[in-house]
Amino acid sequence: MTVGVVEVSPRDGLQNEAEILPTARKIELIRRCVDAGARRVEAVSFVRADRVPQMADAEAVMAEVPRHSDVSYIGLVLNRRGLDRALAAGVDEVNCVVVATETFSRRNQGASVDAMVQQWAAIAGAAHAAGRKASVTVAAAFGCPFEGEVAPTVVADLVRRLAAAEPDEIALADTIGVGVPAQVRQLVRAAAAAAPGVPLRAHFHDTRNTGIANALAAVEAGVRVLDASVGGIGGCPFAPAATGNVATEDLVYALHRSGHPTGLDPRLVIGTAAWIGDQLGKATVPGALGRAGWFPAEPQ
Amino acid sequence: MTVGVVEVSPRDGLQNEAEILPTARKIELIRRCVDAGARRVEAVSFVRADRVPQMADAEAVMAEVPRHSDVSYIGLVLNRRGLDRALAAGVDEVNCVVVATETFSRRNQGASVDAMVQQWAAIAGAAHAAGRKASVTVAAAFGCPFEGEVAPTVVADLVRRLAAAEPDEIALADTIGVGVPAQVRQLVRAAAAAAPGVPLRAHFHDTRNTGIANALAAVEAGVRVLDASVGGIGGCPFAPAATGNVATEDLVYALHRSGHPTGLDPRLVIGTAAWIGDQLGKATVPGALGRAGWFPAEPQ
């Protein structure tokens, strides 16, 4: 059974690296990911350049991404202004982020959870009116760096409210990398019940070495789309110690060896991981496959 | 449900590090692991000092390990001579390793699989006659660096032959870190059928970032004892790119958060991981928990 992978390195990855890549390099990263088989790419975010300087050139990036009929570019937006920029820049999908806990929402987005639910509804309505897809990510769904444990009922209630705006997809994000598979199964079940018929996506960080376990558990629980970042680059600068999106190459290894093709070419993904590591001045990227090599020797 | 953790850093960990620790430091490592709650410790191996200089002081280590009635020390042995040394040194258990594939067996142990099965039978008989426990590990059960894929039927047949010597436990080892959870479930099922009534242990490496996923899958499949190495130190010098036993602290995080107490104190395990990293001259150990910290803030 095929599993889709949303390549988030151009946005979630680069946004959380100290090094700011030139626009041309960002476009090359996206091109390499698409060449490796990525069909959904979180390419940019349309947020305040003074808060996120890494994404100040979002329009310039979108102007030059390789366009293919089967490749969909996602822009992250948090409000109506961002949405207008995203639509003008020609994104195929917008993704909004709503944090599950009040403290993290206010610190990360400067807005309450209620305010963000309203922002999301406005974004979804306008995106749909413009003929674009709109998805929403529930951040800190597995735990909050400020409030600690997050009850599954809190996440389910939020998913229910977000579903009212008719999202094309809802993502559950373990923003700080604290989840375990048992929790993944519980949350996926709760989210599916709270938003019947809405496709679920999941987003894991490898901060505490549970990212791959969680990704496979999500697939077993019915999730068919996972976020990943080539090389494992990126994290979240607003969440203490939250290093490490799940590396695309590690996820591809685990999925392919488990009988889940992704459409990605492991050799090209591993090559892109090494390339982006070089661009960011890293001796090694977090992803393990580049060091260990595929098994058996030839990627399949 | 409780899961036992066999602490293998003093043997499998240190044996595969370039740095050779002084005897007193090895004893301190063992003492720290026991203080952190370890109740089974793979402390030493009784092999040829010219092949494995890291373990040349096995007798001296065993002479000074802290003795408690509920702490069991395991010595790795590969032949009758090693067994005699282990018995004289006062180990509580011996563990033998038989490799699942012919090429790896000859390269790693200088003997055929058949010859090693016979060695194991002799070791088990003599250990039991001396009133000690005897367990056996099937190495490369999930894949071989030389032969590639290993068929589950090959592993099951080997487990059946090893079970004839009445092991106290059989371990399935992913020596080169290539397995995925689906394979773990399949192999655990096959091994349980091939050796009914024999407790199973599992040994995972994090080489391709699947170690924690595999460990949790093994527990869900019925395995109640897992090997781990504090800090994730060690690997296998005879297997290319086989870096990284699963780190005890990462395993403890995944197990405790999944409702499986281990009897280990996470704070002391994380402290020991940092300590052994210092002793080995490493800036950081592979284990993630020392960098990321427990969640919620206070270990439970």
Side-chain angles (χ1 to χ4, degrees), chain A residues 142-144 148-149 176 178 180-181 185 206-210 212-213 216 220 241 250 253-254 257-258 288-289 291-296, chain B residues 142-144 148-149 176 178 180-181 185 206-210 212-213 216 220 241 250 253-254 257-258 288-289 291-296:
Chain A
F142 295 79
C144 171
E149 306 277 8
I176 57 168
V178 296
V180 292
R185 290 182 209 113
D206 225 357
T207 318
R208 288 168 186 81
N209 208 353
T210 60
I212 294 293
L216 294 175
E220 284 166 19
D250 294 0
Y253 180 82
R257 294 286 296 168
S258 303
L289 259 288
R291 290 189 297 281
W294 199 264
F295 179 85
Chain B
F142 295 79
C144 171
E149 306 278 7
I176 58 168
V178 296
V180 292
R185 289 182 208 112
D206 224 359
T207 318
R208 288 169 185 80
N209 209 353
T210 60
I212 293 294
L216 294 175
E220 283 167 19
D250 294 1
Y253 180 81
R257 294 286 295 169
S258 302
L289 259 288
R291 291 189 296 280
W294 199 263
F295 178 86

Side-chain angles (χ1 to χ4, degrees), chain B residues 149-218:
Chain B
E149 306 278 7
V150 176
T153 51
V154 166
V155 176
D157 286 348
L158 181 55
V159 164
R160 192 173 293 110
R161 294 168 68 199
L162 297 171
E166 300 185 351
D168 292 286
E169 185 180 57
I170 295 176
L172 300 173
D174 186 8
T175 310
I176 58 168
V178 296
V180 292
Q183 196 181 4
V184 172
R185 289 182 208 112
Q186 185 181 28
L187 268 196
V188 168
R189 204 161 42 225
V198 179
L200 295 178
R201 193 171 90 235
H203 176 105
F204 295 110
H205 282 218
D206 224 359
T207 318
R208 288 169 185 80
N209 209 353
T210 60
I212 293 294
N214 292 341
L216 294 175

Side-chain angles (χ1 to χ4, degrees), chain B residues 23 27 30 43-44 46 57-67 73 88-91:
Chain B
T23 305
I27 295 162
I30 292 170
V44 289
F46 296 94
D57 58 352
E59 278 83 357
V61 171
M62 282 305 301
E64 305 250 7
V65 293
R67 295 289 187 170
Y73 292 107
V91 304

Side-chain angles (χ1 to χ4, degrees), chain B:
Chain B
M1 182 253 308
T2 298
V3 171
V5 176
V6 175
E7 178 58 47
V8 303
S9 59
R11 202 288 301 176
D12 197 26
L14 292 183
Q15 178 166 329
N16 297 295
E17 294 285 341
E19 184 86 11
I20 300 187
L21 284 197
T23 305
R25 296 286 167 80
K26 295 181 181 180
I27 295 162
E28 182 168 358
L29 171 61
I30 292 170
R31 185 188 57 69
R32 283 172 180 264
C33 291
V34 170
D35 286 349
R39 289 300 169 263
R40 288 177 74 194
V41 179
E42 191 181 72
V44 289
S45 64
F46 296 94
V47 292
R48 280 169 48 181
D50 58 337
R51 280 208 80 197
V52 188
Q54 293 93 333
M55 293 290 122
D57 58 352
E59 278 83 357
V61 171
M62 282 305 301
E64 305 250 7
V65 293
R67 295 289 187 170
H68 301 283
S69 58
D70 61 345
V71 175
S72 184
Y73 292 107
I74 304 171
L76 184 141
V77 300
L78 297 175
N79 52 36
R80 203 35 222 267
R81 158 115 186 83
L83 175 74
D84 290 340
R85 288 176 60 199
L87 296 178
V91 304
D92 302 289
E93 314 177 35
V94 293
N95 188 63
C96 183
V97 176
V98 178
V99 183
T101 61
E102 205 60 45
T103 313
F104 197 9
S105 183
R106 289 173 190 270
R107 291 214 195 192
N108 193 33
Q109 304 186 330
S112 68
V113 176
D114 279 355
M116 285 308 301
V117 171
Q118 287 177 27
Q119 290 283 2
W120 152 245
I123 289 165
H128 286 148
R132 316 291 170 92
K133 290 188 172 171
S135 61
V136 59
T137 294
V138 180
F142 295 79
C144 171
F146 308 108
E147 299 188 17
E149 306 278 7
V150 176
T153 51
V154 166
V155 176
D157 286 348
L158 181 55
V159 164
R160 192 173 293 110
R161 294 168 68 199
L162 297 171
E166 300 185 351
D168 292 286
E169 185 180 57
I170 295 176
L172 300 173
D174 186 8
T175 310
I176 58 168
V178 296
V180 292
Q183 196 181 4
V184 172
R185 289 182 208 112
Q186 185 181 28
L187 268 196
V188 168
R189 204 161 42 225
V198 179
L200 295 178
R201 193 171 90 235
H203 176 105
F204 295 110
H205 282 218
D206 224 359
T207 318
R208 288 169 185 80
N209 209 353
T210 60
I212 293 294
N214 292 341
L216 294 175
V219 169
E220 283 167 19
V223 170
R224 292 293 167 266
V225 182
L226 296 163
D227 287 353
S229 173
V230 67
I233 64 165
C236 176
F238 306 107
T243 49
N245 284 291
V246 165
T248 308
E249 60 273 29
D250 294 1
L251 182 63
V252 165
Y253 180 81
L255 288 171
H256 286 207
R257 294 286 295 169
S258 302
H260 300 301
T262 61
L264 292 165
D265 180 327
R267 265 171 293 215
L268 294 178
V269 174
I270 291 169
T272 301
W275 178 85
I276 190 65
D278 283 345
Q279 302 306 313
L280 294 168
K282 295 177 187 293
T284 58
V285 291
L289 259 288
R291 291 189 296 280
W294 199 263
F295 178 86
E298 283 300 298
Q300 291 170 336

